[in-house]
Amino acid sequence: MQESGPEPAVHVSRCAAPLTPEVSEELRGALSVCPDVAFCYLGDVLVEGHEAASPTLFVWLEGRAVGSVRSALALVSRAVSGSLPADRFLDVVILNSAPELLSEVAARADLLVERNEDERRRAMDASSRPFGQEAQEASSPSDERPWWIRLLGG
């Protein structure tokens, strides 16, 4: 078995080429009616070793949607593709799957949609705790579900 090296560093920043106000408003409106979306940020992501940053939509799903990520992602993808001009694209990152990015995303990207302020506050609080602390607080040690699912009671 081949050993893999360290994961490449991921850097989040504001969009270098922001969406026009019209496109931004259309995207905000489309995402605001997605029932599984708690909040979204829009930013650029530069992965170490790549030459250019990619515009990225960071989405945090409601706790009840985490079990059906495929369905939630399909709704978000439809909202994105229906809102953007043909020459634009956005990568989509489900933050529930990468909660370690949440603090950096919140500090450096722009909040695009906030359907559930309490959920965003809970997610920010949980992501700021030392690794492992949230699991001890949220459930028994034998529970093998990801910490953010345990924390959300899923």
Side-chain angles (χ1 to χ4, degrees):
M1 181 182 251
Q2 209 175 1
E3 272 191 47
S4 62
E7 302 245 345
V10 175
H11 305 282
V12 178
S13 62
R14 292 187 99 141
C15 285
L19 302 174
T20 65
E22 296 81 18
V23 171
S24 183
E25 193 56 39
E26 186 170 341
L27 180 59
R28 184 177 290 110
L31 291 167
S32 292
V33 296
C34 289
D36 297 333
V37 170
F39 57 90
C40 303
Y41 286 90
L42 184 61
D44 279 347
V45 170
L46 179 61
V47 177
E48 192 175 282
H50 292 259
E51 293 180 19
S54 296
T56 303
L57 180 68
F58 298 94
V59 179
W60 185 273
L61 299 176
E62 293 282 355
R64 68 182 179 279
V66 173
S68 60
V69 172
R70 183 180 297 170
S71 164
L73 185 56
L75 287 173
V76 169
S77 295
R78 265 187 246 128
V80 169
S81 65
S83 301
L84 296 181
D87 64 336
R88 294 293 304 257
F89 72 94
L90 291 176
D91 291 332
V92 177
V93 172
I94 302 298
L95 280 169
N96 307 64
S97 299
E100 66 277 5
L101 293 176
L102 183 55
S103 293
E104 183 176 1
V105 167
R108 298 193 174 136
D110 294 315
L111 183 63
L112 184 67
V113 172
E114 183 179 54
R115 294 186 68 243
N116 187 335
E117 182 181 352
D118 292 337
E119 180 70 16
R120 187 168 74 87
R121 219 176 293 127
R122 275 193 299 272
M124 291 297 299
D125 182 50
S127 71
S128 67
R129 295 184 197 144
F131 182 74
Q133 178 182 347
E134 59 283 330
Q136 293 169 1
E137 293 174 3
S139 65
S140 69
S142 64
D143 194 342
E144 295 181 14
R145 295 172 298 159
W147 67 263
W148 61 92
I149 294 174
R150 291 189 307 261
L151 185 69
L152 297 172

